[in-house]
Amino acid sequence: MKAPQAPRGTQDILPHEQPYWDLVRSIAAGVAADYGFQRIDTPMFEETGVFERGVGEGTDIVEKEMYTFEDKGGASITLRAEGTAPVVRAYLEHGMFKLPQPVKLYYVCPIFRYERPQAGRFRQHHQFGVEALGEIDPALDAEVIELLWTLYARLDLKELSLQINSIGDEKCRPRYLDELRSYYRAHLHEVCDDDRVRFEKNPLRLLDCKVPSCQGIADRAPHSAEFLCDECREHFAGLRHGLELRGLDYHVNFRLVRGLDYYTKTVFEIWPAHGGSQSTIGGGGRYDGLAEQLGGRRTPGIGFGTGIERIILNYKQAHPEGLAPPAPDVFVIALGSAERDAAAQIATELRRAGVATASTYGDRGMGAQFKAAGNSGARFALILGPDELASGQASLKDLRSAATDGKQLAVPLSHVVAEVKAQLAS
RNA sequence: GUGGUCGUAGCUCAAUCGGCAGAGCUCUGGAUUGUGGCUCCAGCGGUUGUGGGUUCAAAUCCCAUCGACCACCCCA
């Protein structure tokens, strides 16, 4: 029988990788708390309509990337394909519009999309995201972007750039799309085949075509920011003012559009300087029409999602020295059967006192036990042999440096826990 | 979903024209029946991703399939 493999595009997060995950999750939770965001967990799956209506029927996510199945009751279920729509669904379902606004929520969760995997792109990946609902002030947009930037800064990620744009709203975007279409209509004979499809289906996407021969045409296309209505223009100015107030450098990128239908006004992405074609590390925007799309009352919102796998990728590039896995405080070494029994009792006492304690198992030689102690990364070895037991003592040895090599402290068995705690604190 | 590159031990990689599947690291034991890191010795570890085909003979050539990676599509 063939041994099974993890399904395509999924991966096991092994113990040596966990320190990176712990670090990112704890810093993310800390930043969220500093900005007044509270955690929410939504189900791993939703009624399919949450994504169809929320994200948009014409988007790639809905059209070809959802893990959708029928459950035994006949309901159409979809694995969480995106973070924002479920949070907005929960906001409406639980009447959070009755709470003081804005409601500021964050999540850390897996996302599932049926895509062709590459480095930094998976069928199951994880996102940290925030959503601030019920407020239209562009200062909130700036604060959300600042939050994301702060997360990366606390992780000391290098060479990131903030790209922003405004794609207008229901009132002014149609006018811009007409303008964009008429511009492209004159160039249809010289653009790529994909662009001709985009022209019909989703003209905004014309702007981020990567075919070299289409670049010049996209560069000279009309800018959405020049066709904004008064409200959107003021909002965009407010956003830029807010970013400047906060000392955040940004590039207005008029070719920045995003693949989800619900965005209005503000859109933004954060890019690493280097990286492949799917290197965007985080992105988001404003979605003032989403709640209504989902059948609720009109509620403005702004948020982002950032990929934890991609953050870790960038973190490792910025910190080549890596993160050490957690190590025990004390490694207990015992020689002889009675000594192993005594060592087991001491280990129990140490652990009760909150001291991380490890040992080998079975009847292993002193050399092997010291080798295991060294490999474990333990700070101290606590040695319990016939000599020690006979005198009611244990030997405590600092394993970290050669400087203390050879020196061992004799500690009465009754004082081992107190002495170890004192040594660890020093 | 499209096009391409690549799969040999847990990891990094060798293997000449198609001719006995190897090394380093890791791990285990020993040198040292009470002291880790350094050194030396030995051992464990393989259906060469999987399945088929060609051949006296396949890691090597052919087909399929699974997976990783790269460029698209698109995203985090």
Side-chain angles (χ1 to χ4, degrees):
Chain A
M1 187 170 62
K2 202 174 73 178
Q5 295 172 277
R8 181 171 207 193
T10 69
Q11 53 182 348
D12 300 310
I13 304 168
L14 298 173
H16 70 271
E17 289 291 316
Q18 296 291 346
Y20 295 94
W21 287 79
D22 288 343
L23 179 73
V24 172
R25 280 188 291 236
S26 69
I27 289 183
V31 175
D34 289 348
Y35 284 81
F37 285 73
Q38 294 186 296
R39 176 154 180 161
I40 183 169
D41 288 287
T42 64
M44 207 87 78
F45 53 83
E46 294 278 349
E47 290 176 17
T48 299
V50 170
F51 301 110
E52 281 179 349
R53 289 195 284 156
V55 179
E57 303 268 7
T59 61
D60 276 25
I61 289 179
V62 170
E63 228 167 49
K64 55 184 195 185
E65 296 178 356
M66 296 202 303
Y67 277 93
T68 297
F69 61 97
E70 193 172 293
D71 71 11
K72 290 181 191 299
S76 180
I77 295 295
T78 296
L79 264 41
R80 179 170 41 225
E82 188 268 337
T84 301
V87 170
V88 173
R89 190 226 81 225
Y91 172 92
L92 296 170
E93 181 172 341
H94 299 285
M96 290 190 229
F97 42 77
K98 294 272 169 57
L99 299 172
Q101 307 291 302
V103 174
K104 297 157 92 176
L105 303 167
Y106 82 92
Y107 56 83
V108 181
C109 64
I111 304 278
F112 303 88
R113 285 180 208 159
Y114 190 84
E115 294 191 273
R116 186 123 166 208
Q118 278 175 244
R121 177 210 255 173
F122 308 96
R123 289 185 174 177
Q124 175 181 349
H125 77 277
H126 299 76
Q127 286 189 19
F128 165 64
V130 314
E131 313 293 347
L133 291 141
E135 176 57 63
I136 55 163
D137 187 345
L140 183 57
D141 302 40
E143 195 171 281
V144 161
I145 292 171
E146 181 190 350
L147 191 169
L148 181 58
W149 194 263
T150 300
L151 169 68
Y152 300 147
R154 287 192 191 173
L155 288 163
D156 202 20
L157 304 189
K158 313 285 190 193
E159 296 183 79
L160 301 178
S161 74
L162 168 62
Q163 311 282 317
I164 66 167
N165 193 16
S166 175
I167 57 170
D169 63 9
E170 301 90 332
K171 297 190 296 293
C172 53
R173 196 181 314 156
R175 200 156 53 91
Y176 169 63
L177 292 182
D178 285 347
E179 199 68 28
L180 188 61
R181 272 212 184 83
S182 64
Y183 167 80
Y184 263 93
R185 191 168 290 118
H187 296 282
L188 271 187
H189 59 284
E190 38 184 330
V191 298
C192 64
D193 291 347
D194 283 342
D195 273 357
R196 279 189 272 273
V197 176
R198 293 184 181 111
F199 179 83
E200 299 297 338
K201 231 181 71 179
N202 193 346
L204 270 188
R205 299 227 65 89
L206 288 163
L207 294 171
D208 73 344
C209 181
K210 293 181 190 71
V211 174
S213 57
C214 300
Q215 297 305 299
I217 295 163
D219 280 336
R220 289 186 293 274
H223 299 188
S224 59
E226 287 164 15
F227 292 85
L228 298 177
C229 58
D230 290 347
E231 180 190 327
C232 287
R233 185 167 359 90
E234 282 167 29
H235 189 277
F236 193 37
L239 168 66
R240 285 176 301 184
H241 176 64
L243 294 175
E244 283 151 20
L245 278 179
R246 290 166 174 79
L248 294 172
D249 291 331
Y250 60 86
H251 300 287
V252 175
N253 180 345
F254 70 91
R255 289 178 57 184
L256 179 68
V257 297
R258 291 183 51 80
L260 287 69
D261 283 355
Y262 54 60
Y263 286 116
T264 55
K265 297 189 173 75
T266 306
V267 293
F268 64 94
E269 291 187 358
I270 292 182
W271 296 349
H274 314 288
S277 56
Q278 64 289 321
S279 59
T280 297
I281 184 167
R286 181 162 275 284
Y287 43 85
D288 294 341
L290 175 55
E292 208 167 18
Q293 280 295 310
L294 288 175
R297 62 171 69 182
R298 187 168 174 88
T299 309
I302 168 86
F304 66 75
T306 180
I308 297 184
E309 286 84 353
R310 289 184 185 177
I311 291 176
I312 291 174
L313 219 55
N314 280 273
Y315 181 88
K316 285 178 175 173
Q317 282 167 9
H319 304 82
E321 72 282 1
L323 287 179
D329 299 314
V330 179
F331 203 98
V332 178
I333 291 173
L335 203 66
S337 168
E339 290 78 1
R340 276 202 297 277
D341 287 352
Q345 292 180 312
I346 289 172
T348 297
E349 282 182 47
L350 285 166
R351 287 163 175 153
R352 276 186 190 148
V355 177
T357 305
S359 69
T360 59
Y361 302 90
D363 187 13
R364 301 231 281 161
M366 183 73 50
Q369 294 192 57
F370 263 96
K371 190 170 184 182
N375 286 343
S376 77
R379 166 117 181 247
F380 292 105
L382 187 73
I383 303 115
L384 210 62
D387 295 349
E388 283 86 356
L389 207 58
S391 60
Q393 294 182 317
S395 298
L396 190 63
K397 178 174 177 175
D398 192 326
L399 291 173
R400 287 179 313 173
S401 62
T404 57
D405 199 26
K407 289 182 197 153
Q408 294 184 179
L409 191 62
V411 183
L413 289 181
S414 54
H415 293 94
V416 162
V417 172
E419 183 60 33
V420 165
K421 291 195 82 163
Q423 290 284 333
L424 281 170
S426 68

